[in-house]
Amino acid sequence: MAPSLKRKYAEVVIGAQDETAPINTHRVVVSIDLGTARTGYAYCFASSPERIEVKKFGGAENDQKTLTNLLLHEDGSFCSFGHKARTTYYEDAGNGIINKLFFQNFKMELEGEPADLLTKKIKALNGKEHSLKSVFVHTLRYVKEEALKAVSGPVGDSITSDQVHWVLTIPAIWRDGAKSFMRTCAKEAGLISVRDSGLLALALEPEAACLSAEDLPEKTLVTGDRFMVLDCGGGTVDITMHRAIQTRGN
């Protein structure tokens, strides 16, 4: 990791704190990319921020992301997530069983000018309605538990949520209501114990991409350059324009 990016990491991520999150409790940083079509996460330990691990979920394609698909039991309790959720639902449907609640593309519900998100209902594939908040809480809780298992292995003991600085990447177009909604869901999912805790950062996706690009081996940007970031996801395409105010070395 380049020195400039290390410095940004230390100041923006490890350095973020409040009264509920003393700096010496941050053993690891976990970043969650909850996409419209796919979800993944990466992590690094505070002692070695230059070593970033991207976790493989496995599944049908054994890639670094799994499907953003959630399957709940008829009573709303968690069943499965990712490739397993999709496979289970369609196998059951093939046998005439469609009582489970299957959700996909639910991130799209937060775009535009959302209202009353905390009480909003969305339809599962079988037509039954369920709480949007519950869908996001179950999703974040699943990824949280997967991440905690992954980061606890290398250190040989159990790392808890309050020892993690969580980063959720979000679209730049999201309004304040959607951002507030994600914080509420993160708290209910157990990522943080206080809604406005400094242990959770919401990172704009194009800004995260810019920081990552700064560390690329091809040093092509110079001061004054204008450039475009294209985020071509599985469900949406986001385009943002940027100008380089200052680049590495000047």
Side-chain angles (χ1 to χ4, degrees):
M1 182 179 288
S4 59
L5 193 53
K6 275 187 183 179
R7 183 171 61 254
K8 288 186 177 73
Y9 171 89
E11 293 172 354
V12 177
V13 179
I14 295 182
Q17 57 181 308
D18 63 12
E19 292 179 358
T20 69
I23 190 65
N24 59 6
T25 66
H26 300 182
R27 298 179 62 184
V28 62
V29 176
V30 175
S31 180
I32 300 173
D33 179 16
L34 176 60
T36 302
R38 292 176 177 269
T39 293
Y41 69 91
Y43 64 87
C44 64
F45 290 95
S47 58
S48 53
E50 71 285 347
R51 183 178 178 181
I52 299 174
E53 300 286 344
V54 180
K55 177 64 177 177
K56 289 184 179 292
F57 274 98
E61 301 175 22
N62 194 31
D63 57 16
Q64 293 178 343
K65 289 189 175 183
T66 192
L67 297 174
T68 307
N69 291 172
L70 175 69
L71 186 63
L72 302 179
H73 292 291
E74 190 173 10
D75 63 359
S77 59
F78 180 82
C79 180
S80 55
F81 184 81
H83 290 100
K84 184 178 180 181
R86 186 179 185 85
T87 300
T88 300
Y89 180 79
Y90 282 104
E91 285 181 350
D92 285 353
N95 294 319
I97 304 171
I98 56 171
N99 60 323
K100 292 186 177 70
L101 309 177
F102 180 75
F103 300 94
Q104 58 186 352
N105 299 327
F106 49 86
K107 185 180 176 183
M108 300 289 288
E109 299 289 337
L110 301 187
E111 294 190 4
E113 189 67 61
D116 300 324
L117 289 175
L118 296 177
T119 58
K120 184 175 182 177
K121 303 278 189 180
I122 59 173
K123 286 187 177 181
L125 198 59
N126 63 4
K128 296 181 179 179
E129 290 191 338
H130 191 70
S131 162
L132 176 66
K133 184 178 72 169
S134 173
V135 169
F136 273 91
V137 169
H138 279 300
T139 297
L140 291 175
R141 183 181 294 125
Y142 171 81
V143 180
K144 176 204 71 175
E145 291 173 354
E146 289 292 306
L148 290 178
K149 286 188 289 187
V151 300
S152 294
V155 297
D157 65 356
S158 179
I159 291 180
T160 57
S161 291
D162 59 352
Q163 295 174 312
V164 177
H165 186 100
W166 302 94
V167 180
L168 282 175
T169 58
I170 62 172
I173 63 172
W174 272 12
R175 305 295 179 88
D176 289 343
K179 297 174 185 177
S180 175
F181 175 79
M182 288 301 291
R183 278 199 165 269
T184 298
C185 292
K187 177 182 179 297
E188 293 202 17
L191 278 73
I192 50 177
S193 58
V194 179
R195 185 181 172 282
D196 295 322
S197 172
L199 282 174
L200 173 64
L202 300 180
L204 299 181
E205 291 164 352
E207 291 186 358
C210 288
L211 287 176
S212 179
E214 184 183 13
D215 199 37
L216 293 175
E218 302 85 2
K219 301 180 175 54
T220 57
L221 284 179
V222 297
T223 300
D225 276 356
R226 291 174 171 81
F227 60 98
M228 180 184 296
V229 174
L230 300 176
D231 181 1
C232 302
T236 59
V237 175
D238 297 326
I239 305 172
T240 54
M241 295 296 298
H242 302 263
R243 182 165 67 90
I245 302 297
Q246 184 178 39
T247 57
R248 191 178 306 155
N250 58 9

